[in-house]
Amino acid sequence: MAAAATMMPFFGQRISSKNDLVPDWVSQEVSTGTTIMAVEYDGGVVIGADSRTTTGAYIANRVTDKLTPIHDRIFCCRSGSAADTQAIADVVTYQLGFHSIELDEPPLVETAANLFRASCYRYREELTAGILVAGWDRRKGGQVYCVPIGGMLVRQPVSVGGSGSTYIYGFMDSNYKPGLSKDQCLELTATALSLAMERDGSSGGVVRLATISEEGVERRVILGNQLPKLHREKQGFNRSCWNTTASIC
Amino acid sequence: MLGETGPEWLSEEVKTGTTIIAIEFNGGVVLGSDSRVSAGASVVNRVMNKLSPLHDKIYCALSGSAADAQTIAEMVNYQLDVHSIEIGEDPQVRSAATLVRNISYKYKEELSAHLIVAGWDRRDGGQVFATLNGLLTRQPFAVGGSGSSYVYGFVDAEYRRGMSKEECQQFVVNTLSLAMNRDGSSGGVAYIVTIDEHSTEEKVVLGNNLPTFFDQ
């Protein structure tokens, strides 16, 4: 909320949030509270995000698009400060576009991830940005790179981020296994995001999904009433991925 | 100031970082916990049993400050003994949970511990009560402790009504294993207690017997 802060600098500082004349959220930074997720499959990646942007307790945008294109087959999922992540994404989009023209071929996902990491690490003290970079290129196929706050870079087959991600680590660990198909990845992502949105106050709205592969980018939206239903009666979500010693499945 | 202040963990409060869970099935309850007690970055006890008996068929699961939680459990154990002598029969799970809640609420500013109370009694069968911050609520299952954040999604997706005793035990072991893998303050072994009309069974699942996942 850098814009609001400069528009009313005295307002925010002189009148405290305890004063009823001024609501809390005018002095709060705009953050994409968020849950984001990216999964690799053989031939591409599936990415997903919720759609809530908050300033304190107020939902500034309930239909945000946190899946931002960086290049034809490279996207990033943004979490943290909305302003910081938008600014970084704009810079990287420019740098990558330029690089791609120089190279005269589509850029690598790893290159895009490194450009994000370079900015996030250099300005780590000033920024609050957690980003997932995902896409497809001809050399390595579908790839997911995680650039969390602080600016490290690591490639992972599946990654979650944002405030809501803490609630779905257990679900993700138990339900992901290597070799899932594209549709299984879509279902996993949609279910994981729904679970996180139900538990995290800063995540909510609709589920935005995208699939990136050699053929191109396919986007879809799952509205609130169409979200995967939880609390199944008899069947658990996917019991066959257990490799436990005592099995009752 | 120069000079030795000693290792950091001498001055850190001892917390049961923890993951605890209790779930009700038709005819009883299953409780589970990890076994790690930490003081800052140091693990001071890697085999602590956080499932503490309040009565023959009522147990509680401890989390938060180790001292606070243990003291509450011991006080309620004593109060329940007195109460059960007064009424001349086994106490109800709700009574035990109410005693825990009364202490948690009265001293909520000084204490930082969360106990989940679960057990079996003749009137209502298996019951699970959460007493976080001084509230009292009965739930089909409850999770608590620092590790519980990581498994909310998992328990939301996997829990179904009408699970059998064995399914509940598997559910508890799976949940603990997932939480222990992600939470630095949870780890060690898994303790499972199953309470039903006929018996109270305590079990330990050692590290190498816990379920493993795709990245292990």
Side-chain angles (χ1 to χ4, degrees), chain A residues 166-167 169-174 176 195 199 231-237 239 242-246 248, chain B residues 149-154 156-162 166-167 170 174 178 181-182 209 211-215:
Chain A
T166 47
Y167 304 105
Y169 275 112
F171 177 80
M172 189 188 84
D173 282 342
S174 63
Y176 172 78
L195 288 164
R199 286 288 181 180
H231 316 300
R232 264 151 276 257
E233 266 314 308
K234 274 294 172 188
Q235 280 293 104
F237 177 76
R239 301 183 133 264
W242 292 114
N243 42 351
T244 76
T245 51
I248 52 144
Chain B
S149 313
Y150 303 102
V151 290
Y152 273 115
F154 175 75
D156 281 343
E158 283 290 313
Y159 174 76
R160 319 172 301 287
R161 276 179 298 132
E166 288 71 28
E167 285 175 319
Q170 189 66 47
N174 293 341
L178 286 164
N181 272 326
R182 286 289 180 179
N209 293 328
T212 56
F213 309 103
F214 73 96
D215 52 356

Side-chain angles (χ1 to χ4, degrees), chain A residues 32-52:
Chain A
T32 45
T34 288
T35 314
I36 50 178
M37 181 162 167
V39 190
E40 282 175 20
Y41 66 92
D42 182 22
V45 292
V46 167
I47 58 176
D50 72 304
S51 69
R52 182 173 288 186

Side-chain angles (χ1 to χ4, degrees), chain B residues 59-75:
Chain B
Y59 269 63
C60 69
L62 314 173
S63 75
S65 154
D68 290 348
Q70 278 187 338
T71 307
I72 297 174
E74 283 169 15
M75 284 169 64

Side-chain angles (χ1 to χ4, degrees), chain A residues 9 12 20 25 32 34-35 42 56 59 63 71 81 85 93 95 116 119 145 157 170 173 180 191 201 229 234 239 249:
Chain A
D20 285 336
W25 46 262
T32 45
T34 288
T35 314
D42 182 22
I59 299 174
V63 285
H71 205 264
S81 155
T85 55
T93 306
Q95 291 172 332
F116 270 105
S119 297
Y145 293 89
D173 282 342
L180 294 173
T191 308
K229 252 198 325 195
K234 274 294 172 188
R239 301 183 133 264
C249 301

Side-chain angles (χ1 to χ4, degrees), chain A:
Chain A
M1 192 115 195
T6 50
M7 274 196 304
M8 323 185 254
F10 297 127
F11 226 145
Q13 284 153 25
R14 243 196 264 144
I15 303 187
S16 77
S17 56
K18 295 206 179 100
N19 188 316
D20 285 336
L21 290 176
V22 174
D24 252 351
W25 46 262
V26 298
S27 48
Q28 302 269 13
E29 189 185 355
V30 174
S31 100
T32 45
T34 288
T35 314
I36 50 178
M37 181 162 167
V39 190
E40 282 175 20
Y41 66 92
D42 182 22
V45 292
V46 167
I47 58 176
D50 72 304
S51 69
R52 182 173 288 186
T53 306
T54 51
T55 48
Y58 174 66
I59 299 174
N61 185 349
R62 61 188 169 107
V63 285
T64 322
D65 185 7
K66 304 179 189 177
L67 306 176
T68 307
I70 305 294
H71 205 264
D72 293 343
R73 301 256 185 303
I74 306 176
F75 268 63
C76 77
C77 310
R78 301 180 290 113
S79 75
S81 155
D84 288 350
T85 55
Q86 283 179 358
I88 299 170
D90 288 346
V91 162
V92 172
T93 306
Y94 163 77
Q95 291 172 332
L96 199 64
F98 195 86
H99 169 73
S100 168
I101 289 171
E102 286 182 317
L103 227 53
D104 198 24
E105 63 180 39
L108 299 177
V109 186
E110 190 172 355
T111 312
N114 273 290
L115 287 171
F116 270 105
R117 194 251 310 151
S119 297
C120 291
Y121 182 73
R122 173 173 285 216
Y123 299 105
R124 55 186 304 175
E125 305 300 327
E126 291 97 328
L127 294 174
T128 311
I131 295 175
L132 296 179
V133 185
W136 180 92
D137 62 43
R138 231 170 34 142
R139 195 184 287 186
K140 293 191 196 162
Q143 300 146 71
V144 170
Y145 293 89
C146 181
V147 183
I149 294 176
M152 88 149 176
L153 172 65
V154 66
R155 179 182 174 186
Q156 294 178 304
V158 57
S159 193
V160 293
S163 58
S165 67
T166 47
Y167 304 105
I168 50 175
Y169 275 112
F171 177 80
M172 189 188 84
D173 282 342
S174 63
N175 287 100
Y176 172 78
K177 54 192 198 306
L180 294 173
S181 73
K182 178 175 95 162
D183 288 325
Q184 286 172 319
C185 288
L186 281 165
E187 200 187 331
L188 178 72
T189 309
T191 308
L193 289 171
S194 313
L195 288 164
M197 280 156 58
E198 191 165 294
R199 286 288 181 180
D200 180 29
S202 311
S203 302
V206 304
V207 170
R208 293 198 188 276
L209 296 168
T211 323
I212 309 170
S213 62
E214 182 173 8
E215 288 78 50
V217 175
E218 215 184 292
R219 300 200 61 156
R220 61 197 85 177
V221 182
I222 305 183
L223 303 179
N225 59 331
Q226 299 160 346
L227 286 171
K229 252 198 325 195
L230 312 162
H231 316 300
R232 264 151 276 257
E233 266 314 308
K234 274 294 172 188
Q235 280 293 104
F237 177 76
N238 185 353
R239 301 183 133 264
S240 58
C241 349
W242 292 114
N243 42 351
T244 76
T245 51
S247 113
I248 52 144
C249 301

